[in-house]
Amino acid sequence: MSDMVATAYGSLAMMTSVLVSPDGVYEYEAAHGTVQRHYYKHLKGEETSTNSVATIFAWSGALRKRGELDDLPELVNYADMLEKATIDTIESGIMTGDLASMSTLENKKKVNTEQFLVEIGKKLDEYLA
């Protein structure tokens, strides 16, 4: 489903994949090549506005699965809250440039990569408190 959303809305940074082997091994990944251009800008010391959503959701999916496999409800809850914090940050109008350019929200705020992650962290802290 995320592939279709990413294609329809033009943001590969919203695409994640879950691969499952026949013997039950899971791999969670973000779309390939979504941040290469931004990474090279970062290496030059330039500011970036990289959408981290796919990477965050790849990590949260893997953490959730680990929590399920090891019967760690706290880890499952953390993964759920990380995803909620990410979505709520965007829905509150704080987003990276790619999302801001296609968002219809009236009071949106375009932020750089670091600011986006800081805002998600603030929401996550609220939810986990």
Side-chain angles (χ1 to χ4, degrees), residues 100-119:
S101 68
M102 50 186 161
S103 172
T104 58
L105 290 175
E106 290 184 24
N107 295 317
K108 59 190 169 208
K109 178 182 176 187
K110 177 184 166 186
V111 296
N112 67 29
T113 307
E114 186 175 345
Q115 292 166 329
F116 185 60
L117 294 172
V118 166
E119 293 299 323

Side-chain angles (χ1 to χ4, degrees), residues 45-71:
E46 298 175 19
E47 185 177 276
T48 63
S49 184
T50 306
N51 181 335
S52 312
V53 173
T55 303
I56 292 168
F57 272 68
W59 273 98
S60 62
L63 291 170
R64 181 180 300 104
K65 179 50 78 177
R66 188 76 263 162
E68 292 168 358
L69 293 172
D70 294 342
D71 193 26

Side-chain angles (χ1 to χ4, degrees), residues 21-34:
S21 71
D23 59 342
V25 175
Y26 288 77
E27 177 184 0
Y28 294 79
E29 66 178 9
H32 296 294
T34 58

